[in-house]
Amino acid sequence: MPPVSPPSYVLVLGIGNRILGDEGVGGRVVDQLGAEGLPPGVEAVDGGTVGLALLPRIEEADAVIIVDAGRLPEPPGSIRCLEGPAMDAFVAGSPSTPHDIGLHDLMSALALQDALPAHRALVVIAPQNCTLSEALSDAVAAAVPEACSAVRRILDRWAGADPS
């Protein structure tokens, strides 16, 4: 298999429902990334509660990083980064947030069209509270800067600036 070249357009997609507490962390992370500034060729987008309407946005991208809340066997605010097949396996697992079925459908549709980006990653933040609230729990709010750093590390690695 030939090496995969660095992506020229990366979509960082935050997903989740902002009125369900920690479920909205993906949008908060992309808000922060946008406020801090991103390298040329990287766009941060709040995808909301996901749906097949996002399919064209991902198809346009050479790479995608999805930021989302998801159940992890770790304390609230913990972060896990999954890439390629590890991301695919996590997304295909049992639903862990109110929109995971949509994310699974979205990724399956890309796979069926042979349009899954070679560079794809999921940054998952363990939620504490996914009830009606616009506020993040303290643990998840404290994880937002680290999630932004995780996204930047992935971007650097994909660009060849960080070989780890």
Side-chain angles (χ1 to χ4, degrees):
M1 174 187 282
V4 179
S5 60
S8 59
Y9 170 54
V10 180
L11 176 64
V12 181
L13 185 62
I15 59 174
N17 190 330
R18 287 182 184 249
I19 63 167
L20 290 178
D22 294 342
E23 163 65 16
V25 69
R28 305 294 177 85
V29 171
V30 297
D31 288 350
Q32 183 65 37
L33 287 166
E36 293 172 357
L38 290 164
V42 179
E43 181 181 18
V45 173
D46 182 351
T49 55
V50 178
L52 293 177
L54 293 171
L55 193 61
R57 293 298 301 260
I58 296 173
E59 288 174 328
E60 293 170 359
D62 299 312
V64 64
I65 300 171
I66 297 174
V67 184
D68 191 12
R71 287 200 182 124
L72 297 173
E74 290 125 29
S78 297
I79 298 169
R80 187 179 295 177
C81 299
L82 305 158
E83 293 188 50
M87 173 190 172
D88 302 340
F90 185 87
V91 169
S94 61
S96 58
T97 64
H99 63 267
D100 274 348
I101 293 171
L103 179 57
H104 179 257
D105 291 342
L106 182 64
M107 301 311 288
S108 294
L110 288 163
L112 284 172
Q113 295 179 23
D114 198 26
L116 270 177
H119 291 288
R120 61 189 180 281
L122 176 64
V123 176
V124 183
I125 300 113
Q128 179 173 353
N129 181 10
C130 292
T131 59
L132 191 59
S133 172
E134 291 185 29
L136 298 177
S137 66
D138 290 344
V140 172
V144 169
E146 177 55 32
C148 291
S149 294
V151 168
R152 290 185 186 286
R153 285 191 300 271
I154 293 166
L155 291 169
D156 287 346
R157 191 172 60 257
W158 287 353
D162 177 9
S164 60

